[in-house]
Amino acid sequence: MTTLRVVSYNLKDLTQDRHAAARVIRRLDPDVLCLQEVPRRMLSAWRVSAFAAECDLVWSGAHHGSGGTTVLTSLRVQVEYSSHRRLRVAPWQRTRGYAVARVAVPGRLPVVVASVHLSLDAAERLRHTEQILGSLAEGERVVLAGDLNEGASGAAWQRLAGPLRLVSPDRPTFPAAAPNAVLDVIFASPGLTTRRGDEVVLDEGDIVAASDHRPVWVDVELGPER
């Protein structure tokens, strides 16, 4: 195995057709799936675990405090560690957080993958971005994926584009039925070689039924054996 497929997908708290979402994900066949807006409250662990199984993926669990972000993985990769981290928000605002996993393929250098879902407030987006970047270990090979809730002119996007680079396609992802905004993106460390994932034919009916966002994906080259 020489490449790692990373997919990012906002699932709208699984309030739409979760079976359609699972079909989309199985079709994309990710090694690492960065999710935003997964269930966070009553029975959330059971619901996310059941959804992971339907997608033929594995979930590390314990996403309390993640603001609805998490990471699922395939059996093709090893999870060296995973964590879910809370971000401070203003009173009465939606909880925010991010999920981080360090994944590896035998014989290849590991990659740190972060799933993020930034705030609707611009100042809070930038503050959270600073915190997320500051928590990622210097020198790690990083892939950061998620729903930024802003476009390329936004301050948080520009802050990410300093140490990282955009590697996902520059095409609209929201709303799913008639996308006109690029909100869902994947960034990666400059040292990582990526290619925009092979074109996958997805069922348009499933995409619209599954969520109000469309997924994005890239293939990460794992480099020479270590």
Side-chain angles (χ1 to χ4, degrees):
M1 179 175 173
T2 60
T3 62
L4 190 77
R5 172 156 294 180
V6 179
V7 175
S8 184
Y9 205 178
N10 181 318
L11 290 179
K12 201 181 179 183
D13 293 316
L14 291 179
T15 55
Q16 295 188 194
D17 187 339
R18 71 178 180 86
H19 302 299
R23 288 193 294 270
V24 169
I25 291 165
R26 289 198 304 269
R27 179 69 178 150
L28 290 170
D29 193 24
D31 297 299
V32 181
L33 175 62
C34 295
L35 293 178
Q36 304 85 44
E37 289 197 39
V38 296
R40 299 167 290 147
R41 296 190 173 93
M42 187 175 295
L43 300 177
S44 62
W46 177 85
R47 293 178 66 196
V48 176
S49 181
F51 182 73
E54 188 174 356
C55 295
D56 297 328
L57 297 172
V58 177
W59 183 49
S60 62
H63 71 312
H64 179 72
S66 73
T69 62
T70 199
V71 176
L72 309 184
T73 54
S74 80
L75 292 175
R76 295 185 293 267
V77 301
Q78 299 172 345
V79 180
E80 295 187 347
Y81 76 74
S82 66
S83 65
H84 297 83
R85 306 171 186 180
R86 185 185 299 275
L87 294 165
R88 182 175 294 180
V89 299
W92 313 113
Q93 298 301 307
R94 178 188 172 97
T95 60
R96 296 287 171 184
Y98 61 108
V100 179
R102 192 172 192 251
V103 301
V105 172
R108 308 283 177 171
L109 292 172
V111 177
V112 173
V113 181
S115 176
V116 306
H117 185 198
L118 298 185
S119 171
L120 295 174
D121 177 79
E124 196 165 69
R125 286 197 296 271
L126 181 58
R127 185 170 71 252
H128 288 169
T129 298
E130 294 283 2
Q131 185 174 338
I132 293 166
L133 288 173
S135 74
L136 299 175
E138 187 174 348
E140 293 272 25
R141 306 195 306 166
V142 172
V143 175
L144 184 147
D147 175 3
L148 300 191
N149 269 319
E150 70 176 32
S153 62
W157 181 306
Q158 291 298 314
R159 178 65 183 90
L160 288 171
L164 306 175
R165 73 188 197 286
L166 181 69
V167 294
S168 55
D170 183 20
R171 62 187 177 211
T173 60
F174 179 86
N180 56 39
V182 183
L183 301 183
D184 305 271
V185 293
I186 301 175
F187 284 81
S189 299
L192 276 174
T193 300
T194 65
R195 55 185 173 84
R196 296 182 178 183
D198 295 338
E199 194 62 36
V200 178
V201 178
L202 300 174
D203 184 279
E204 190 67 18
D206 278 348
I207 290 176
V208 174
S211 174
D212 56 346
H213 288 250
R214 290 174 175 251
V216 294
W217 63 95
V218 298
D219 291 334
V220 180
E221 299 287 347
L222 293 173
E225 295 186 8
R226 57 176 175 177

